[in-house]
Amino acid sequence: MAPSPTILRVVPPVETKTHCPYCAFQCGMLVAEAEGGLLSVRADDDFPVNRGQMCIKGFTSAELITHPERLNTPLLRQPNGELSPVSWDSALDFIAERVLALQKAHGHAALAAFGSGALSNEKAYLLGKFARVALKTPHIDYNGRYCMASAAAGQNRAFGIDRGLPFPVADIAEAQTLLLWGSNCADTMPPIMQWVFEQQNRGGNLIVVDPRATATARSATLHLQLTPGTDLALANGLLYLAIERGLIDQHYIAERTQGFDELRRSVLTSDPAWVERVTGVSIQAQLRALSLLAEVESSMLLSGRGPEQQSKGSDTVLSFINLMLALGKVGKPNSGYGCLTGQGNGQGGREHGQKADQLPGYRSIENAEDRALMAKLWGVAEADLPGKGKSAYELLDSLGPAGGIRGLLVFGSNVAVASPNAGKIKKKLAQLELLVVCDGFENETSAFAHVILPTTQWAEEEGTMTNLEGRVILRQRVQRPPDGVKTDLEVLGELATRLGVGTGFQFQNSEAVFDELRQATAGARADYSGLSYDKIRQAQGVFWPCPSPEHPGTPRLFAERFQFPNGRARFHAVPHRPAAELPDGEYPLFFTTGRYKEHYNSGAQTRRVGALLDAQPVARVQIHPRLAAQLSVSNGDELLVESRRGGVRFTVSISPDIRPDTLFAPFHWGGKHAANLLTNAALDPTSRMPEFKVCAVRARKPGKLD
Ligand code: SF4
């Protein structure tokens, strides 16, 4: 009898449900260990936000986990200036000794911490606690200040609460009119376009406001290609027209808002002819935009960084909210205002205490009751909690003996590339007596570091993130981290012990930190107290506020009331003002910045991924054909772009999609290609957001001596 054939069973790989490490869309993905220690990644069809789609950054995200340049041992700068591998004990002892010495010589405010919108909620929470309780410094802020601060400030002042989108992304598909203001989401978070296309397929209209004819604008029913820095004038002008044409919702204004009379008086000067002169948007286009927004049952205005990253960004957000409130749209189905958060945990990162003025759950560090609650939970005297510290740019501008901050700990942020007027910030970093950088890779900031600590990456740790909708999601661990790296939570715990305050920082795992975060937020505006890892896992994410274990979460806000004691939203009179720096005879062009779909933020990660670098290998300056002819440059030439702060060489890319008076470049590169060497650090007076999106430059072909 012949032997029976061997039956080979192909065992499918075990896939872990987790989320992309990059932007705030936080696409659900399924990750499994594949051959040779690599990870395979595919989009999660079941996750209700991306519904089986991802962008090229997500699909290639696993490449960094096994990247040969990944750090797997601490590095300590030696007297000869070189970085050398050392043990974890040596590195942490060095940091603690220098922190204690700086504190003794110069006081607690001589130290600062800088966090990131890439950190999980647990890390953001523990970093905030570490700064206030272990370093005892007021100075902690994060790179989300460069991203979401204006939208947050505007929403807090108008609605009493800041949640990027007060509704799920699925509502986009149901809006009759969608206005995307200064967001090129077709490039920055491509899977969101499935909701926009669905909206259009149902007969909806799309308006895009952008100085460039972006990939997003090319899909639009109406594109308003305004002059950079004039968004506030245009929004006020649309409100003027709405009042003049009787398109405001008087009943809604009376029932649900306050402050309209003062606002009405303030927009009287924003007549359509003036708006056309200031913004370049014709009266006819203004009328068409207003008609599309106002004469439908449901309309939605979503803003991106274009109008927000200005020295009047928070007022501009308020003008958007004024408009949508006056039209009676906020809190109605498939309608209202929202902002499209940028960084992966840009939402959660601003809720849990790594912002200079905040304690966890959006508590205020200047509110006595909030301070007392947190001091009790953290086991310290309320009087020992420091007050409000400096905002991100102001903190970095204070580095060195003159500014008083002599030691800085940076977690997951590449401030040397991401900050405005970056040349100045690099000089400040060089003056530090202690710079510690916790990251997976060396970058332009760690080039100045005394110590670099190698940390775990997204697939090797767990933690919660809060996506652009306010949905709290769970990143699950896929595999063990390599030998030699630690989680940021472990780093903070071990440093706290060495600084003599270890008891409040010893947690078994990320979930244990989350349990303390839940307690810290109970009863606060961003209330996470009813959440748990299990609940998040089972529900594919839960929207905050979620104040009890039985509570299902809150997908939609404002249907009945706003977050003020009287329940009414607040109008704000916000007259237009020009950008801090406008073109003149010496610097005759506008310069503005943005993203490529292949790269993320400072590019420290994505510039290391082969497919992404192949697709976008260099920083190109987008220039109109007429301007290119004037400057005698062709595609592929080098162009030297100069502002009052520095000069940058870009590769020329000629396109009719940009205005002839404006140059655009991405901010994903460092060194001599860093767009932020040019940008202006003029700050919004409320949000402290720098004016990344508008400055004045001149351009020419570089000469031999340049
Ligand atoms: S970068 Fe954003 S849009 Fe792209 S896959 Fe990741 S989460 Fe999704």
Side-chain angles (χ1 to χ4, degrees), residues 294-315:
E295 292 172 352
V296 289
E297 190 63 27
S298 59
S299 61
M300 189 183 276
L301 190 165
L302 305 180
S303 68
R305 299 305 80 73
E308 296 166 17
Q309 288 180 321
Q310 298 184 22
S311 59
K312 54 180 176 297
S314 55
D315 279 359

Side-chain angles (χ1 to χ4, degrees), residues 589-591 618-643 646-655 658 660 662-665 672-675 678 697-703 706:
L589 299 167
F590 285 108
F591 178 70
V618 295
R620 291 173 291 120
V621 62
Q622 191 179 30
I623 175 170
H624 191 274
R626 280 212 300 280
L627 182 57
Q630 273 174 30
L631 297 173
S632 303
V633 289
S634 307
N635 273 323
D637 284 354
E638 266 205 328
L639 188 69
L640 178 62
V641 181
E642 296 170 299
S643 74
V648 181
R649 285 161 182 260
F650 294 110
T651 301
V652 168
S653 173
I654 299 173
S655 166
I658 186 138
T662 303
L663 297 174
F664 166 88
K672 61 185 182 182
H673 304 298
L678 305 173
V697 296
R698 62 189 176 202
R700 62 184 166 89
K701 270 182 155 175
D706 286 316

Side-chain angles (χ1 to χ4, degrees), residues 19-29 43 50 53-61 185 187-192 342 344 475 597 599-600 606:
H19 296 272
C20 173
Y22 296 115
C23 85
F25 211 58
Q26 283 297 291
C27 290
M29 59 191 204
N50 57 309
Q53 295 189 17
M54 291 204 303
C55 78
I56 187 170
K57 297 189 289 295
F59 282 118
T60 56
S61 55
C185 51
D187 279 350
T188 56
M189 47 178 67
I192 199 174
R475 270 199 198 155
K597 69 172 174 291
H599 289 289
Y600 184 68
T606 51

Side-chain angles (χ1 to χ4, degrees), residues 173-295:
E174 312 263 345
Q176 287 166 285
T177 294
L178 172 64
L179 168 47
L180 291 172
W181 199 308
S183 165
N184 181 17
C185 51
D187 279 350
T188 56
M189 47 178 67
I192 199 174
M193 292 306 284
Q194 64 184 292
W195 299 105
V196 177
F197 294 145
E198 200 170 312
Q199 183 257 355
Q200 291 181 301
N201 290 339
R202 291 171 189 233
N205 288 301
L206 171 65
I207 308 168
V208 172
V209 181
D210 200 303
R212 299 191 302 138
T214 60
T216 313
R218 284 195 287 276
S219 306
T221 319
L222 177 66
H223 174 207
L224 308 182
Q225 196 165 5
L226 80 180
T227 304
T230 63
D231 309 76
L232 177 51
L234 181 58
N236 281 345
L238 294 179
L239 180 56
Y240 174 102
L241 280 174
I243 296 169
E244 187 196 60
R245 308 251 148 172
L247 291 171
I248 57 173
D249 187 335
Q250 304 275 13
H251 179 72
Y252 179 96
I253 291 168
E255 291 293 309
R256 302 214 49 194
T257 69
Q258 66 183 53
F260 186 69
D261 287 342
E262 194 193 338
L263 171 64
R264 183 203 292 267
R265 283 193 293 277
S266 84
V267 297
L268 284 177
T269 52
S270 303
D271 66 84
W274 175 83
V275 172
E276 183 177 271
R277 271 199 312 281
V278 171
T279 68
V281 175
S282 70
I283 295 173
Q284 192 187 17
Q286 293 172 45
L287 284 167
R288 174 110 167 95
L290 177 67
S291 160
L292 290 174
L293 267 185
E295 292 172 352

Side-chain angles (χ1 to χ4, degrees), residues 467-503:
N467 79 352
L468 77 170
E469 310 164 285
R471 184 194 303 253
V472 186
I473 56 170
L474 183 63
R475 270 199 198 155
Q476 305 202 98
R477 192 170 103 152
V478 180
Q479 64 178 25
R480 282 172 48 81
D483 292 338
V485 306
K486 288 183 189 286
T487 67
D488 294 300
L489 300 178
E490 288 169 335
V491 169
L492 292 170
E494 294 193 31
L495 277 177
T497 299
R498 283 168 169 82
L499 295 174
V501 288
T503 44

